[in-house]
Amino acid sequence: EGGWGAVAAHEAASVSLSRCAASGTRTAFFATGDARLRIVACAVRAAGGPGLREGVRLEERARAGVWGLSVEGYPVGFLLRGSSRARLRGCRTRDNGLGVFAEQSARMLLSRSRISGSRTHGLWVKDAAAARVAGSVLSGNSHNGAYVSEGGRLSLERVKMRASGNGIRVIDSEFAATDSDLSGVRALYLDLRRQYNGHNNGQIAAVLEGTEDRPGLAAYGWPPRSVFKYIKVLLDHHLIEKTRQGGI
């Protein structure tokens, strides 16, 4: 307990841990350089006090395989930066300031995990970082379930969003979804953007039947039921805003 970290791996070190627990550390698991970190069925919990940082922190070219880790009460649950890489499976973050943060050129695969109760974002991907999330739940995160900014890339597969602020927010970044509903939402969003000419923001018409100059969504093959369904998702996630009621 206490101190800078329960485990710190530097240079070319290789560390493997299983069925362990740590509390009160500033950064529980830290890896940098070319270090390799393997964590199985562990739990870390912040005990409060000054100097708290992250549950897991990877920097430079560090690599980590993490299975069944629970992280609770830190400013950041998982932090990936530099060109670090991580595979997180069956992990849980709860009541952290930020659940998972990937920046710079980091890469991450998050599967069968749950990110909940974050005081800001459940997941934040920025810069040239990329994250793939599959079969996971983002639940009860105050600001956004997933936030993608400044060139970050995010791919979602079979992900459930529950009561997470604005759901998904994307700014100057790439977002892809491969389950059927999210793919439909993305496709409708792109079809609405066809109308944007750089000067008509706030005047995009989400109508089924348009005019010869401004074709409606039916011209792109959209049935009314899907338009109603996906427009609501876009509005709920603040990817679009309703400026006036009309049409559909």
Side-chain angles (χ1 to χ4, degrees), residues 64 119 122 136 220 222:
R119 293 185 294 279
S136 298
Y220 302 117
W222 284 101

Side-chain angles (χ1 to χ4, degrees), residues 149-162:
S149 69
E150 301 170 54
R153 290 177 290 164
L154 174 64
S155 173
L156 301 181
E157 304 174 15
R158 306 180 310 282
V159 173
K160 295 181 179 178
M161 294 275 185
R162 297 175 179 168

Side-chain angles (χ1 to χ4, degrees), residues 67-86:
W67 294 267
L69 174 64
S70 174
V71 180
E72 182 178 350
Y74 285 86
V76 181
F78 291 87
L79 170 64
L80 286 74
R81 62 189 348 168
S83 57
S84 61
R85 303 287 187 270

